[in-house]
């Protein structure tokens, strides 16, 4: 309730009430109840319609989410199949790479044997060269001896010369063989080094493929776990979807009740059953006329103001001390606070400083006796924005005991706001 004071009123407020008691008439309870019922009915109808639209949207979102999860799961199956195919192909690559590595290893071993054979051949060629050298030396000696023998050694000289030529030819041939073997050996050695490097690279490739295979395996496991979680979520969405049928019907029921309430109120108006209550300013008029108080500066300072819309209905509830226990979304929007933050705060946190104490003294005097109260109230939003309301306040009973208060505020007429500001300048 806008600006409700705590039950422990100051002495000044008690004196104000005592002076006003004789002048203030009682509210017409029936007309005030009609006013509250109409405001509550209008709000019920609006909230029911809004809730219906909101919940319908949420139900559609749930159903769309369920469809989306179905689509995701179907795609996850494709991913799972692809990952399994990757794992199968990688395994094949690993097996083939291992086979190639083994073959290269065998080639390396054979190359090593071949190098050993080349070494043996090189040693044999060296031995033949040594024999050729010795033969050449023997041929030279034989030629010398044949020359000494003269005519008798001519045939031996011929043989010695042929042996010398054969030795030279053999040595030359061996030199060519050795040079060829050197070139072949170098080529074999280079090939052996290349094969060894290929073996190392092949092993690195195998290691990399194994890492890839492990990654694919991890992807497969994570995909499986994710799919399981999606299936659980999808199951929950299906359960929500199944229960949404009941919720939809209950929301339609609430909407129908709200419309029924609105129709009943309209029917009461048409039948003249909704009587208008005494205007709060007319009720306050005797106090204004008897007062010699003046505060001419009240509500004269130019300030930012918010004018309520026709469908702005602000509702709040407090405990018996005036501490807020609930406020509706419209209340928070107009007061410029985040929803929920005012719960636990005294209601006078939004009171405009120019509001007279007499109004709240009267408010407490009426509602504490279990009756309804109505009046025009100026409030301040969080940013100190002024807004006027026509507030109707009533007590909440449980087991015959007042447990709190509820205030319903609607848009006041501009003419009434001006009259209220003028009246509040004349009461303390």
């Amino acid at each position: 309730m806008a600006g409700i004071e705590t039950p422990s009123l100051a002495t000044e407020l008690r004196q104000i009430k005592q002076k006003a008691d004789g002048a203030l008439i009682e509210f017409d309870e029936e007309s005030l109840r009609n006013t509250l019922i109409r405001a509550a009915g209008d709000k019920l109808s609006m909230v029911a319609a809004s809730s219906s639209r909101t919940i319908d949207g949420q139900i559609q979102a749930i159903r769309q989410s369920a469809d989306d999860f179905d689509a995701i799961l179907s795609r996850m199956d494709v991913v799972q199949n692809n990952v399994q195919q990757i794992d199968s192909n990688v395994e094949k690559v690993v097996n083939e790479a291992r086979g190639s590595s083994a073959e290269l290893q065998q080639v390396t071993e054979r190359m090593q044997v071949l190098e050993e054979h080349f070494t043996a051949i090189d040693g044999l060629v060296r031995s033949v060269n040594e024999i050729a050298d010795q033969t050449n030396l023997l041929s030279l000696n034989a030629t010398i001896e044949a020359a000494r023998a003269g005519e008798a050694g001519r045939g031996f000289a011929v043989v010695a010369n042929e042996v010398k030529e054969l030795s030279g030819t053999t040595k030359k041939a061996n030199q060519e063989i050795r040079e060829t073997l050197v070139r072949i050996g170098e080529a074999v050695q280079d090939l052996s080094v290349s094969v060894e490097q290929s073996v190392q690279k092949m092993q690195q490739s195998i290691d990399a493929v194994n890492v890839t295979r492990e990654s694919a395996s991890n992807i497969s496991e994570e995909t499986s776990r994710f799919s399981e979680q999606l299936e659980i979520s999808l199951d929950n969405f299906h359960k929500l979807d199944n229960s949404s049928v009941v919720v939809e019907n209950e929301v339609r029921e609430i909407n129908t009740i709200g419309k029924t309430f609105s129709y009943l109120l309209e029917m009461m108006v048409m039948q003249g059953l909704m009587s208008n209550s005494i205007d709060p300013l007319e009720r306050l008029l005797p106090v204004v006329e008897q007062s010699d108080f003046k505060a001419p500066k009240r509500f004269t300072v130019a300030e930012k103001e918010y004018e309520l819309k026709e469908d702005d209905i602000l509702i709040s509830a407090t405990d018996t001390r005036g501490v807020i226990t609930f406020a509706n979304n419209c209340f928070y929007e107009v007061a410029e606070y985040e929803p929920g933050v005012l719960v636990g705060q005294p209601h006078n946190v939004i009171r405009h400083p120019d509001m007279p104490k007499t109004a709240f003294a009267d408010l407490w005097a009426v509602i504490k006796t279990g009756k309804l109260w109505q009046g025009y109230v100026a409030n301040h939003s969080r940013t100190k924005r002024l807004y006027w309301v026509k507030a109707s306040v009533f007590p909440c009973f449980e087991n015959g005991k007042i447990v709190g208060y509820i205030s319903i505020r609607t848009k006041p007429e501009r003419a009434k706001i001006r009259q209220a500001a003028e009246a509040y300048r004349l009461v303390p």
Side-chain angles (χ1 to χ4, degrees):
M1 289 153 292
I4 288 183
E5 286 283 358
T6 58
S8 56
L9 299 176
T11 303
E12 181 182 359
L13 297 183
R14 287 199 298 269
Q15 292 173 349
I16 293 170
K17 180 184 178 303
Q18 289 170 0
K19 291 175 64 177
D21 275 343
L24 294 174
I25 63 175
E26 294 291 334
F27 282 106
D28 183 344
E29 292 286 316
E30 182 178 355
S31 61
L32 276 184
R33 282 195 296 271
N34 289 341
T35 301
L36 284 170
I37 289 171
R38 185 171 185 82
D42 289 342
K43 191 61 177 178
L44 173 61
S45 180
M46 287 188 291
V47 170
S50 175
S51 298
S52 178
R53 290 191 298 270
T54 301
I55 295 177
D56 280 344
Q58 291 174 341
I59 289 172
Q60 292 304 317
I62 289 172
R63 289 175 178 166
Q64 183 61 48
S65 298
D67 293 340
D68 292 342
F69 272 113
D70 276 327
I72 291 172
L73 278 174
S74 64
R75 300 305 302 168
M76 289 300 294
D77 289 338
V78 174
V79 172
Q80 184 72 12
N81 291 334
N82 289 339
V83 170
Q84 291 176 351
Q85 186 65 37
I86 290 172
D87 184 68
S88 176
N89 292 337
V90 168
E91 183 178 9
K92 185 183 297 184
V93 170
V94 169
N95 291 335
E96 291 178 356
R98 284 174 178 166
S100 299
S101 178
E103 291 176 359
L104 285 173
Q105 187 63 40
Q106 292 177 356
V107 170
T108 300
E109 293 173 355
R110 289 169 183 169
M111 294 297 290
Q112 291 175 349
V113 171
L114 186 59
E115 287 179 358
E116 293 175 357
H117 290 169
F118 272 117
T119 300
I121 292 173
D122 184 66
L124 180 60
V125 169
R126 290 175 183 277
S127 298
V128 171
N129 276 336
E130 291 177 358
I131 293 172
D133 289 339
Q134 292 176 359
T135 302
N136 188 42
L137 181 62
L138 291 175
S139 173
L140 180 61
N141 292 331
T143 302
I144 294 172
E145 291 298 328
R148 289 178 180 174
E151 189 64 26
R154 180 176 296 179
F156 184 71
V158 172
V159 173
N161 187 51
E162 290 178 353
V163 170
K164 181 179 179 181
E165 290 178 359
L166 180 61
S167 173
T169 302
T170 300
K171 189 170 183 179
K172 182 179 180 181
N174 275 345
Q175 182 63 31
E176 291 176 354
I177 290 173
R178 186 178 181 190
E179 291 175 354
T180 302
L181 287 177
V182 168
R183 289 194 298 271
I184 294 175
E186 290 175 350
V188 169
Q189 188 174 15
D190 292 341
L191 180 60
S192 178
V193 171
S194 298
V195 170
E196 181 64 28
Q197 291 176 346
S198 298
V199 170
Q200 293 176 357
K201 291 181 179 179
M202 183 65 71
Q203 186 58 48
Q204 292 174 354
S205 299
I206 292 175
D207 294 340
V209 170
N210 281 331
V211 171
T212 303
R213 187 179 183 188
E214 290 178 2
S215 299
S217 178
N218 292 335
I219 292 173
S220 178
E221 293 176 2
E222 290 297 327
T223 304
S224 297
R225 283 196 289 268
F226 185 53
S227 296
E228 291 175 0
Q229 293 173 347
L230 284 178
E231 288 176 357
I232 294 172
S233 298
L234 180 60
D235 183 58
N236 291 333
F237 271 109
H238 282 315
K239 290 177 180 177
L240 286 173
D241 190 25
N242 293 334
S243 65
S244 66
V245 178
V246 177
V247 174
E248 279 182 311
N249 197 51
E250 290 177 347
V251 170
R252 291 192 183 99
E253 182 180 2
I254 293 173
N255 199 17
T256 302
I257 291 172
K259 290 180 179 179
T260 301
F261 210 109
S262 179
Y263 296 149
L264 286 173
L265 291 172
E266 191 64 27
M267 184 182 69
M268 292 174 69
V269 171
M270 295 299 294
Q271 295 178 353
L273 300 177
M274 296 288 288
S275 59
N276 293 323
S277 63
I278 182 174
D279 187 85
L281 292 177
E282 293 180 11
R283 178 173 175 272
L284 187 62
L285 186 57
V287 176
V288 174
E289 292 175 344
Q290 295 177 17
S291 174
D292 56 1
F293 177 86
K294 286 183 174 56
K297 292 185 179 181
R298 282 182 180 172
F299 301 110
T300 58
V301 177
E303 54 186 324
K304 184 172 60 176
E305 181 178 356
Y306 172 80
E307 183 176 349
L308 268 64
K309 299 188 292 289
E310 293 296 335
D311 60 353
D312 279 341
I313 299 177
L314 287 61
I315 301 175
S316 62
T318 71
D319 60 15
T320 56
R321 300 170 301 154
V323 174
I324 296 173
T325 57
F326 167 78
N328 69 343
N329 289 337
C330 188
F331 179 102
Y332 281 111
E333 289 173 8
V334 174
E336 298 185 300
Y337 284 93
E338 291 296 321
V341 299
L342 292 180
V343 173
Q345 298 293 318
H347 210 295
N348 58 18
V349 70
I350 60 170
R351 179 189 298 179
H352 192 286
D354 284 350
M355 277 298 296
K357 296 178 180 178
T358 300
F360 299 106
D362 178 47
L363 164 63
W364 277 107
V366 172
I367 63 176
K368 285 177 66 178
T369 60
K371 298 178 181 180
L372 288 83
W373 180 89
Q374 190 176 72
Y376 295 97
V377 178
N379 289 324
H380 255 169
S381 72
R382 183 181 59 84
T383 63
K384 303 305 178 185
R385 182 180 69 179
L386 166 67
Y387 63 97
W388 284 88
V389 298
K390 186 177 182 180
S392 300
V393 186
F394 65 95
C396 304
F397 289 91
E398 288 184 9
N399 300 320
K401 183 180 178 182
I402 296 177
V403 295
Y405 304 96
I406 290 179
S407 177
I408 297 178
R409 303 167 197 76
T410 55
K411 178 182 178 180
E413 299 174 11
R414 292 306 301 179
K416 295 296 182 181
I417 292 175
R418 288 192 294 270
Q419 293 174 19
E422 292 173 1
Y424 292 160
R425 296 187 188 107
L426 301 175
V427 293

